Amino acid sequence: MKNPGLRVYAIGYLIFLYAPIILLPVFALNDSKVVSFPLTGFTFRWFQEMWADDSLREALTNSLIVAICASVIATALGLLAARASTRFTFPAKGGILGLIMLPLVLPEMIVAMSLLMVLLAVGVPLGKHTIIMGHVLICTPFAVAILSSAFQSLDKSLEEAAYDLGEGPISAFRLIILPLVTPGIVSSLLICFTISLDEFIIANFLGGNTKVLSAYIYGQFRFPAKVPAMLALGTILVLLSITLLSIAEYFRRRGIAKTGGKDTGGFL
Amino acid sequence: MENTSLFGRIRQSEAASGLLLVSPTAIYAILLLFAPLATVLVYSVMTDAGAGKIEWVFTLQNYVEVWTGKVYRAIMFRSLVVSMAVTLCTVLLAYPIAYFVSFHVAASKKSLWLFLITIPFWTSYVIRVFLWKVILGYNGVINSGLMSLGIISEPLQAINYNAGAMVMTLAHAYAPFAILPIFVALEKIDRSLLEAGQDLGETKLMTFWRVTLPLSMTGVIAAVLIVFIPTIGDYVTPDLIGGGKIPMIANMIEVKMLKQNEKAIGSAIAVTAMLIVALVSIVFLILNRRFLKGQK
C-alpha cells in the first residue's frame, strides 16, 4: 500500500457506489411517506404494505416465468451458436455471428421498438411471450460469449479420443463435451436470468398489459405514496442478491481450493 | 463435379454441419432482429398516413424533417452530449479504481474488491435510478439533510432535475461496466515491463504514461463503447431524473412511435440514432487504432 492517495480515492469511490443502496433500508424503515430528512421514527409498515400487495406478487411471478424461459431458450440457442462457431467453419460465418451478437451494440430502445413495430404489424398480441422473445434476443449474445469461451478452453483431443473409442458425434458430445462445459452453461443461465430480471425497456414496451417486476416498480414510482413500499421491496432485493452472491462466491472459492488453483479474482 | 475430391467433401460436410448447428440461432436472429430492423428502415422512407397507418409512398421527407427540425436536432445533440459526458466521467472515475485494484491490492484480496464493486449493481436498475432522484431532488435527501443540519436554509436547485443530475446517475449506473474491462486489461500487463521502464530511467509517472496507459487502452476503449452505446439510448433516467422535461432520443422515439403514432418519422429517428451510434463508435475506433494493433 505505497500509495495512500489512491486508497483514499478507492474508498471514496466505494462510498459513491454504495450511497444510494444504503439509503434503501434507512427510508424503508422510516415512518414517513416522504423520503427526506429528518427521520421521523421506526416502522415495519412499508414491508407489511408491500407484502400485502397482490399485483406485486403477480408481477414477481411474471418476472420469474419470463426470466426462466428467456434464460433457458437463450442458453440453448447460445450453446448451438457457440459450438458451431468454435468447432466448424462455414460460409458467411462472420455475418451470421455478427447478426447474433448485434444486440450488444444496439441501444435497447431500438431493439424493442423495431420488434414492437413488426409484432403490431403482424398482429401478435402482447404479453409474457413477447417479452420472452425480446429478452432471448438480448440474452443470446451473452450466452454465446460465455459458452464460446467454455468451448474454446476444451482440449480437442478429448473429443477425438471419444471418436477413436467408437462413440458417434452425438454421444461424444453428450458424454465428453457437455459435462466439461456444464460450468459455462450454469453461468450462462445465471447471467441471462439476471439480465432478464433487471431489464426494463423491452419488458415495458413489449409486455402490453402484462407487468413484470421492473415495469411494475417503475409504474409505482409515479405515486409518491407508494414509494416507501417500493424502497422496502428494494431493500429485500438487495439483501437477497447479496446473500445469493455471497453463496456463489463461497462455492467458487471452495471449488478453487479443492482443485488447488490460485484465486485470480475473476468471478464475473 | 469439382467438389468430389476428399478435401472438398470434408469441407462441404463441415460447412453443412456448421450451418445446420448455427441455423436455429441464426433464424431466430433473422426473424426477430434483422427483419424488424429492415422493417424500421423501410418505414423510415414511407409516408405517415395518420392514426398509425403507413402509406406506401417512398419519401425522404422524414429524414429531412428529423435532420433539420430544431426540436429533433436539440434532443439528438443533448443525447450525444449527455452520453459523451457520462462516458468521460465514468471512464475517468473508473480508471484509478481499476488501477488501484490491479496494482495496489494483494492478489488474495482482489476478488473481494471486485465483489464489493459489483454488489450495488445487482439491485434493480430502475430502483437505483429512482434513488438518485430521491437523493438529488428538490425535497430530496441532500437538500433535506443539509437543511436539517442547518447548513443551508433554502433547498439547492442546482442539483435537481437537470442534465448534470442525469450524468451523475448514469455515471453511477454504468460504473462496473467501465471498471471491469479496464481491470482485465491492466491485469494482462506484464509487470516486468514496468520495472524495465524504471530501470531505463523513467520516472513512475512517465512509466505510467508511456507503458501502463498505452497497454491498458484496449480496456479503456472497450469501457468507452460499453458505456456510450447504452447511455445514448437510455430511457429510464431522462424520464425519472429529468422529470420528462429533458427527453433524450429514446424518449423521443417512444413519443413519436407510440404516443403520436407516427411510425415513419419515429423510424427515421431510430435509424438516425443507429447512424449516430455507429458513426461515433467508428470514429472513436479509428482515432484509437494504433492501440488496437496487434490485438484480435
Side-chain angles (χ1 to χ4, degrees):
Chain A
M1 301 302 137
K2 35 197 176 199
N3 201 330
L6 213 50
R7 197 177 175 76
V8 170
Y9 174 80
I11 289 164
Y13 195 84
L14 277 187
I15 293 171
F16 166 65
L17 289 186
Y18 277 85
I21 315 298
I22 287 161
L23 290 175
L24 269 175
V26 172
F27 288 103
L29 292 167
N30 183 31
D31 190 10
S32 162
K33 278 200 161 131
V34 190
V35 182
S36 68
F37 286 112
L39 301 173
T40 46
F42 183 83
T43 181
F44 272 122
R45 73 181 157 119
W46 305 122
F47 285 88
Q48 286 158 354
E49 188 180 293
M50 180 207 79
W51 193 247
D53 189 346
D54 284 335
S55 40
L56 172 63
R57 278 184 207 189
E58 198 190 314
L60 181 64
T61 320
N62 287 341
S63 266
L64 290 177
I65 294 172
V66 167
I68 289 171
C69 293
S71 56
V72 169
I73 299 172
T75 303
L77 290 177
L79 202 57
L80 293 172
R83 175 72 175 156
S85 81
T86 48
R87 174 72 174 72
F88 299 101
T89 50
F90 48 87
K93 187 176 177 179
I96 292 172
L97 288 172
L99 178 66
I100 293 169
M101 302 304 270
L102 188 62
L104 279 183
V105 294
L106 270 184
E108 251 171 49
M109 189 67 180
I110 289 177
V111 177
M113 278 300 151
S114 53
L115 192 51
L116 181 63
M117 289 299 113
V118 170
L119 292 173
L120 290 178
V122 178
V124 180
L126 300 179
K128 284 196 274 290
H129 56 285
T130 42
I131 305 179
I132 294 171
M133 285 181 191
H135 279 183
V136 168
L137 210 54
I138 56 160
C139 288
T140 306
F142 289 94
V144 174
I146 294 167
L147 292 165
S148 292
S149 72
F151 278 123
Q152 251 153 18
S153 57
L154 275 186
D155 191 346
K156 208 177 173 183
S157 55
L158 289 173
E159 195 188 345
E160 285 163 359
Y163 291 140
D164 289 348
L165 292 170
E167 298 288 351
I170 292 173
S171 61
F173 183 81
R174 188 173 58 86
L175 291 170
I176 309 293
I177 298 166
L178 209 53
L180 287 172
V181 292
T182 302
I185 294 175
V186 172
S187 65
S188 161
L189 284 173
L190 286 176
I191 296 278
C192 293
F193 183 85
T194 321
I195 293 171
S196 168
L197 206 60
D198 197 35
E199 205 285 330
F200 169 75
I201 294 181
I202 289 173
N204 188 43
F205 289 115
L206 296 186
N209 292 324
T210 312
K211 287 270 176 281
V212 296
L213 201 58
S214 59
Y216 174 78
I217 294 171
Y218 190 76
Q220 295 294 295
F221 282 146
R222 296 222 181 99
F223 313 109
K226 296 279 186 182
V227 167
M230 287 303 108
L231 298 184
L233 173 65
T235 310
I236 290 182
L237 291 177
V238 170
L239 288 178
L240 214 62
S241 51
I242 291 179
T243 317
L244 284 178
L245 283 173
S246 305
I247 294 172
E249 177 71 4
Y250 171 75
F251 277 106
R252 191 188 67 86
R253 287 191 183 189
R254 228 178 55 161
I256 289 170
K258 252 188 198 165
T259 52
K262 219 180 88 193
D263 192 350
T264 48
F267 97 102
L268 269 173
Chain B
M1 296 295 267
E2 59 267 20
N3 266 342
T4 40
S5 69
L6 187 64
F7 178 72
R9 261 189 314 206
I10 289 171
R11 258 199 72 90
Q12 222 174 30
S13 84
E14 160 134 346
S17 348
L19 277 177
L20 193 68
L21 204 54
V22 85
S23 61
T25 319
I27 291 170
Y28 191 89
I30 289 169
L31 286 181
L32 277 86
L33 183 65
F34 183 75
L37 289 176
T39 309
V40 164
L41 198 62
V42 171
Y43 274 7
S44 73
V45 290
M46 293 296 154
T47 314
D48 273 310
K53 295 271 187 303
I54 295 277
E55 203 181 327
W56 301 103
V57 180
F58 179 83
T59 175
L60 287 175
Q61 191 53 39
N62 300 319
Y63 284 102
V64 173
E65 199 178 326
V66 170
W67 291 356
T68 56
K70 245 187 184 163
V71 179
Y72 298 112
R73 282 170 79 156
I75 291 176
M76 284 188 286
F77 184 68
R78 175 192 297 139
S79 306
L80 204 56
V81 169
V82 167
S83 58
M84 280 178 169
V86 170
T87 311
L88 194 70
C89 290
T90 316
V91 174
L92 284 183
L93 288 173
Y95 196 95
I97 196 98
Y99 183 82
F100 171 75
V101 178
S102 180
F103 282 74
H104 292 278
V105 171
S108 59
K109 290 223 174 102
K110 277 181 186 172
S111 65
L112 177 69
W113 270 89
L114 290 183
F115 192 57
L116 283 176
I117 288 166
T118 36
I119 275 185
F121 302 92
W122 295 92
T123 329
S124 154
Y125 174 65
V126 175
I127 291 183
R128 263 185 289 135
V129 171
F130 183 78
L131 282 168
W132 279 104
K133 181 187 177 167
V134 166
I135 292 173
L136 298 170
Y138 187 76
N139 292 315
V141 171
I142 290 185
N143 273 338
S144 64
L146 290 178
M147 268 160 62
S148 59
L149 288 174
I151 295 170
I152 53 170
S153 52
E154 290 274 300
L156 301 169
Q157 290 189 21
I159 55 170
N160 36 27
Y161 315 133
N162 56 21
M166 264 165 40
V167 172
M168 178 130 180
T169 307
L170 287 166
H172 180 266
Y174 285 94
F177 298 101
I179 295 174
L180 292 176
I182 298 173
F183 172 76
V184 170
L186 286 170
E187 281 290 276
K188 279 190 194 148
I189 295 175
D190 187 346
R191 302 301 143 109
S192 56
L193 290 174
L194 307 184
E195 284 167 33
Q198 287 180 12
D199 287 349
L200 292 170
E202 297 278 26
T203 61
K204 274 192 175 168
L205 202 63
M206 282 310 283
T207 315
F208 173 79
W209 183 247
R210 292 174 57 164
V211 181
T212 316
L213 190 61
L215 285 175
S216 62
M217 275 310 279
T218 48
V220 174
I221 291 165
V224 165
L225 294 180
I226 289 173
V227 176
F228 173 74
I229 293 170
T231 43
I232 198 169
D234 193 77
Y235 171 86
V236 177
T237 307
D239 205 43
L240 282 179
I241 302 284
K245 289 190 203 80
I246 29 180
M248 299 217 318
I249 289 182
N251 312 81
M252 185 165 68
I253 295 175
E254 185 212 2
V255 166
K256 279 291 164 197
M257 279 190 164
L258 300 181
K259 294 194 176 143
Q260 299 180 356
N261 228 339
E262 294 175 13
K263 289 177 182 149
I265 198 129
S267 300
I269 301 171
V271 174
T272 309
M274 276 190 275
L275 287 177
I276 293 175
V277 170
L279 202 70
V280 173
S281 308
I282 289 168
V283 168
F284 179 75
L285 285 176
I286 290 175
L287 288 178
N288 288 292
R289 65 186 179 279
R290 68 192 181 95
F291 296 114
L292 295 169
K293 269 186 198 146
Q295 303 278 334
K296 269 194 282 186

